[in-house]
Structure formats: C-alpha cells, structure tokens
Amino acid sequence: MSSSNDYSPAANTLSIAFDNGNGVGDSIHFTYHGVITEGEAMNLQEDYGYHPAGYGFYGYSVDRSTYPGVTTWNCQRSCD
C-alpha cells in the first residue's frame, strides 16, 4: 500500500489490534512508534481502509516519555 504522506513507512512503525467483535461498539487500536500529528494519523488510518468519516477517529494521544515517542488512536470496527 503506498502513501504520499511524509511520515515514516507504516510497515515498520505501525501496529493494529482488533477487539473480538465486528460491531459499531468494537474498536481498532492503532499504535504508531513515533510522533505524528492528528491529521497524519487520520491519513494513515484511511490508508489502511478505515476512513475517519465512516469509522470514526478518537482517543488520539502522543506519549513522549520514550524516544521516539508513541502515537495511539482508535476507530470503530464497523461504519454502520
């Protein structure tokens, strides 16, 4: 999957965890090893097929306590 964004290649720095369900109340948890902006996180989520307009985007957080930092956020498993 290609991206025109300026952040590091996601294959080396992104992990995605899924809840057990597939409903609106179930979440996908994104963890990016590095610091990216909220807009870059939304673009990355969209690159993985979960457009924020349909699946939501919430819980954006940056933890800079370790280098290079960790950016996390969530979206819903379903766009219903």
Side-chain angles (χ1 to χ4, degrees):
M1 173 173 314
S2 66
S3 174
S4 62
N5 298 307
D6 292 334
Y7 45 82
S8 300
N12 296 328
T13 56
L14 181 71
S15 59
I16 301 172
F18 297 87
D19 285 347
N20 292 328
N22 286 322
V24 173
D26 298 300
S27 297
I28 301 172
H29 308 283
F30 294 85
T31 302
Y32 184 89
H33 298 279
V35 176
I36 57 175
T37 67
E38 193 168 348
E40 289 171 329
M42 286 182 183
N43 288 338
L44 189 54
Q45 177 181 314
E46 184 178 355
D47 287 349
Y48 274 81
Y50 298 97
H51 194 290
Y55 292 89
F57 179 90
Y58 58 93
Y60 171 82
S61 177
V62 175
D63 180 357
R64 290 187 167 96
S65 64
T66 59
Y67 182 81
V70 177
T71 305
T72 58
W73 70 95
N74 304 292
C75 76
Q76 295 174 341
R77 289 279 312 260
S78 172
C79 63
D80 294 338

